[in-house]
Amino acid sequence: MGLYDKIFKPKTIVLSNGKEVKEKFTRTPLILLILIIATVVSVQITGFDLSLLVERIHQFFVILGRMFPPNVDYIPNIWGPLLDTIKMSLLGSFIGSVVAIPFAILASSNIISIKPVLWIVRLFLSIVRTIPTLVCALIATYIWGLGTMAGTVAIGVFTFAYVGKQLFELIETVDMGAYEAMEAMGATKSKAFVTTVLPQVLPSYISVCMFCLEGNVRYASILGYVGAGGLGLILNEKISWKQYDSVGMILVILFGTVLIIEWLSHYVRKKLT
């Protein structure tokens, strides 16, 4: 019996057959206490000041007000960076999704029985997932220089880590009966996987890839802050010059683009389910 149960004694319940069972006291107070302590410590460490937040929050609406009405004359300057952003997202998402497949297979415990391989591949996927996209783009700019190449690499790395984790978890939930039957009939692991496991995970895999693409368009739009091209480049420039009406126009175009891509993604996912 733990310390908590010693302090808050379990309730004894007598069943209809005369058997006694003990119902432990709810852990809700303990969880709430931990959350409160964690919140207080976080406030102390971060220096969060609620009064300052309330006092300065109106500045957000001041800047937002300067963005509208948007500068329509700036639209011709947006199309080029917008296309760069979309191209980075599409290419990076495609490369990352394809490269993730073999790693996801190697990380699936129901396909690979060699535990060291599972641990190494899963550890690698976890390490890659911890790298922020902006940091990855910054590193890529030092290797491949400024421009969309660095942005594409950063998007590809993020997609690889995200899709890889989702895919190996999908593979581990499939019905392995057909796979084992194919192996018993003499089929190789690869052939058994393609004919039995792949059809089960393919719709969900494509759905995950499309969902990832939606987010990548938004992520790619800020990679210009570290020189990776796209909308972030002109967005950073206009914010620096405090040309908020042009910033408003960029955000409106980006919002419309994201809505269109999300609609297309939703349509594709709906057809697959």
Side-chain angles (χ1 to χ4, degrees):
M1 182 180 293
L3 178 62
Y4 187 83
D5 292 325
K6 290 181 179 179
I7 298 174
F8 300 96
K9 302 293 185 181
K11 180 181 178 182
T12 301
I13 301 176
V14 180
L15 302 179
S16 58
N17 59 3
K19 184 179 179 180
E20 293 185 354
V21 295
K22 293 186 180 296
E23 180 184 13
K24 291 185 177 181
F25 192 79
T26 177
R27 262 55 177 174
T28 302
L30 178 61
I31 295 172
L32 289 175
L33 179 62
I34 293 173
L35 287 174
I36 292 171
I37 294 174
T39 301
V40 173
V41 172
S42 299
V43 169
Q44 295 296 324
I45 293 175
T46 59
F48 177 79
D49 189 343
L50 182 60
S51 61
L52 181 62
L53 177 65
V54 174
E55 179 185 345
R56 302 287 296 176
I57 191 64
H58 72 280
Q59 291 296 330
F60 171 79
F61 297 100
V62 171
I63 295 176
L64 192 64
R66 294 177 183 175
M67 293 183 184
F68 295 93
N71 182 10
V72 180
D73 295 333
Y74 191 67
I75 291 180
N77 300 312
I78 300 176
W79 298 129
L82 177 63
L83 288 176
D84 288 341
T85 297
I86 295 174
K87 287 185 289 185
M88 284 192 301
S89 303
L90 287 173
L91 185 57
S93 299
F94 175 76
I95 294 174
S97 300
V98 172
V99 175
I101 295 175
F103 285 88
I105 295 173
L106 292 174
S108 303
S109 58
N110 56 343
I111 303 296
I112 304 298
S113 57
I114 306 173
K115 288 188 176 181
V117 174
L118 291 172
W119 294 337
I120 292 172
V121 176
R122 290 189 180 189
L123 177 62
F124 176 69
L125 288 173
S126 298
I127 292 173
V128 176
R129 274 202 316 277
T130 61
I131 304 175
T133 308
L134 274 176
V135 174
C136 185
L138 182 61
I139 295 172
T141 57
Y142 287 114
I143 300 174
W144 290 283
L146 302 176
T148 54
M149 178 65 182
T152 303
V153 171
I155 293 295
V157 170
F158 169 79
T159 304
F160 161 77
Y162 179 83
V163 174
K165 181 179 185 300
Q166 296 292 325
L167 182 56
F168 90 71
E169 290 181 347
L170 286 171
I171 293 174
E172 288 187 332
T173 60
V174 301
D175 181 8
M176 295 297 291
Y179 177 85
E180 293 168 356
M182 287 288 292
E183 280 194 312
M185 293 172 61
T188 61
K189 281 184 174 290
S190 58
K191 186 174 182 180
F193 180 86
V194 171
T195 55
T196 61
V197 177
L198 184 60
Q200 295 184 65
V201 301
L202 186 59
S204 297
Y205 165 71
I206 295 177
S207 178
V208 168
C209 293
M210 296 300 294
F211 177 78
C212 197
L213 174 62
E214 296 176 16
N216 285 342
V217 176
R218 294 188 289 269
Y219 301 148
S221 64
I222 63 172
L223 293 183
Y225 277 86
V226 293
L231 281 177
L233 201 61
I234 59 173
L235 191 60
N236 185 30
E237 175 188 335
K238 294 304 173 184
I239 291 177
S240 299
W241 287 97
K242 297 184 179 180
Q243 296 177 355
Y244 295 115
D245 54 346
S246 297
V247 172
M249 195 70 255
I250 295 171
L251 294 179
V252 168
I253 296 294
L254 176 61
F255 177 72
T257 303
V258 171
L259 278 183
I260 293 172
I261 292 176
E262 286 186 352
W263 179 82
L264 291 173
S265 175
H266 176 74
Y267 177 79
V268 173
R269 292 203 305 270
K270 189 175 180 181
K271 290 295 182 180
L272 292 173
T273 56

